[in-house]
C-alpha cells in the first residue's frame, strides 16, 4: 500500500521537487519568452478594473499584513478575472484536490491547489498564494509539484505565484522549468499593468486549439 504524505510535508525546497520529479531549471533564455514579448494592450475597462484592484489592495494593506485568504480575495482572484480566466473557454476550480504518485507508486502526495484553471479538460495554469509576510517565491516548490501532477505533462503549463505584494510566473515543459522576474504590484503601479498583460498573453496562447 502506498505511503500517503501531504505535499506541504514532502516538498519543502527546490531540491525536494527537482529530485522527486526529475525537474531541472533551464538556462535557455528562449524557454520562457511569453512574459516578455508581444504583450497585448489593455482596454479602458481592464485599466479601470486594475485601478479598483490597486485601491482596494492599498486600503486593506494599510492595516497591516494580509493572510493567504485575503491575498486570494483581493489580488489572485481579481487578477484572473480581469485577464479573462473565469470566462469561456476556461474553467476554474478552487481548492482543487490532487494526488501525485511517485517512486513507482510507493508514495502518494496529496494536496490542494489554491486555484486551478483548465481548458478542454487540460490543466493550463496553477495559482498559489501566500500571506504577505512570506516571499511569493517560497510557493515555487509546491507549485511545481502540483504542476507535475497535471494529466497532460507533455503540454506546457504555467503557474502564478503571489503574496499580494509581488507576482511571479513559472513555466514547466518537458521536465524543465523557468521563472519570470518578480513583479512588485504593491510598490510600483506599472508592475500591476505588466502582470495583467502577461496573464492576457498566456490566456491568448493557451486558448488556441491543441493539435
Amino acid at each position: 500500500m502506498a505511503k500517503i504524505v501531504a505535499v506541504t510535508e514532502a516538498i519543502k525546497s527546490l531540491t525536494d521537487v527537482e529530485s522527486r520529479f526529475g525537474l531541472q531549471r533551464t538556462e535557455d533564455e528562449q524557454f520562457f519568452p511569453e512574459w516578455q514579448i508581444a504583450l497585448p494592450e489593455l482596454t479602458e475597462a481592464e485599466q479601470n478594473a486594475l485601478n479598483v484592484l490597486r485601491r482596494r489592495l492599498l486600503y486593506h494593506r494599510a492595516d497591516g499584513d494580509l493572510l493567504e485568504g485575503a491575498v486570494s480575495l483581493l489580488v489572485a482572484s481579481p487578477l484572473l478575472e480581469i485577464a479573462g480566466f473565469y470566462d469561456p473557454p476556461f474553467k476554474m476550480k478552487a481548492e482543487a484536490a490532487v494526488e501525485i504518485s511517485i517512486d513507482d507508486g510507493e508514495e502518494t502526495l496529496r494536496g490542494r491547489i489554491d486555484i486551478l484553471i483548465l481548458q478542454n479538460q487540460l490543466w493550463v495554469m496553477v495559482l498559489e498564494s501566500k500571506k504577505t509576510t512570506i516571499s511569493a517565491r517560497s510557493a515555487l516548490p509546491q507549485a511545481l509539484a502540483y504542476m507535475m501532477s497535471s494529466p497532460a505533462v507533455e503540454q506546457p503549463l504555467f503557474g502564478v505565484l503571489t503574496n499580494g505584494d509581488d507576482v511571479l510566473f513559472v513555466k514547466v515543459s518537458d521536465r524543465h522549468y523557468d521563472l519570470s522576474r518578480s513583479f512588485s504590484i504593491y510598490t510600483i503601479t506599472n508592475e500591476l499593468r505588466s502582470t495583467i498583460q502577461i496573464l492576457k498573453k498566456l490566456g491568448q496562447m493557451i486558448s488556441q486549439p491543441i493539435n
Side-chain angles (χ1 to χ4, degrees), residues 124-141:
V124 294
M125 183 173 292
V126 169
L127 188 144
E128 287 292 300
S129 59
K130 295 292 184 181
K131 58 185 180 181
T132 51
T133 54
I134 299 177
S135 165
R137 191 172 286 105
S138 68
L140 179 60

Side-chain angles (χ1 to χ4, degrees), residues 3-211:
K3 178 182 178 183
I4 298 175
V5 184
V7 170
T8 52
E9 293 298 321
I11 306 295
K12 296 180 179 293
S13 67
L14 285 177
T15 297
D16 289 338
V17 73
E18 289 176 349
S19 61
R20 285 176 180 264
F21 295 99
L23 275 172
Q24 181 179 0
R25 184 170 180 180
T26 180
E27 298 296 323
D28 182 0
E29 294 182 358
Q30 302 304 313
F31 178 81
F32 191 11
E34 293 90 350
W35 69 272
Q36 302 179 74
I37 60 175
L39 299 180
E41 292 298 322
L42 301 184
T43 65
E44 182 177 353
E46 289 166 341
Q47 187 60 60
N48 290 337
L50 281 185
N51 292 338
V52 172
L53 189 162
R54 181 167 171 78
R55 272 200 313 271
R56 287 173 176 166
L57 174 61
L58 295 179
Y59 173 73
H60 290 282
R61 192 71 170 84
D63 289 333
D65 298 321
L66 301 177
L67 297 179
E68 184 175 328
V71 170
S72 293
L73 289 172
L74 290 171
V75 179
S77 183
L79 283 176
L80 293 178
E81 180 181 7
I82 296 169
F85 285 103
Y86 290 168
D87 300 313
F90 305 107
K91 297 286 187 178
M92 181 274 295
K93 289 187 177 181
E95 294 292 325
V98 294
E99 288 193 355
I100 315 165
S101 179
I102 59 177
D103 295 333
D104 294 325
E106 293 295 319
E107 188 173 41
T108 297
L109 306 185
R110 285 182 177 174
R112 289 187 178 274
I113 301 172
D114 288 349
I115 300 177
L116 172 64
I117 302 295
L118 305 96
Q119 185 228 349
N120 293 333
Q121 306 305 311
L122 298 178
W123 293 21
V124 294
M125 183 173 292
V126 169
L127 188 144
E128 287 292 300
S129 59
K130 295 292 184 181
K131 58 185 180 181
T132 51
T133 54
I134 299 177
S135 165
R137 191 172 286 105
S138 68
L140 179 60
Q142 291 172 21
L144 286 171
Y146 291 141
M147 293 166 79
M148 291 306 298
S149 69
S150 170
V153 292
E154 71 277 4
Q155 299 288 343
L157 188 68
F158 298 95
V160 187
L161 318 176
T162 184
N163 62 355
D165 289 350
D166 306 298
V167 176
L168 188 70
F169 295 90
V170 56
K171 178 181 179 180
V172 172
S173 181
D174 193 27
R175 301 285 171 172
H176 289 81
Y177 73 94
D178 200 12
L179 312 173
S180 71
R181 70 172 178 84
S182 181
F183 290 85
S184 302
I185 62 174
Y186 174 65
T187 55
I188 306 174
T189 304
N190 286 341
E191 298 280 82
L192 187 56
R193 177 185 176 90
S194 298
T195 297
I196 283 293
Q197 287 180 295
I198 295 169
L199 283 171
K200 285 187 64 176
K201 171 69 175 297
L202 297 180
Q204 290 172 359
M205 289 178 49
I206 59 187
S207 63
Q208 300 300 314
I210 300 174
N211 297 324

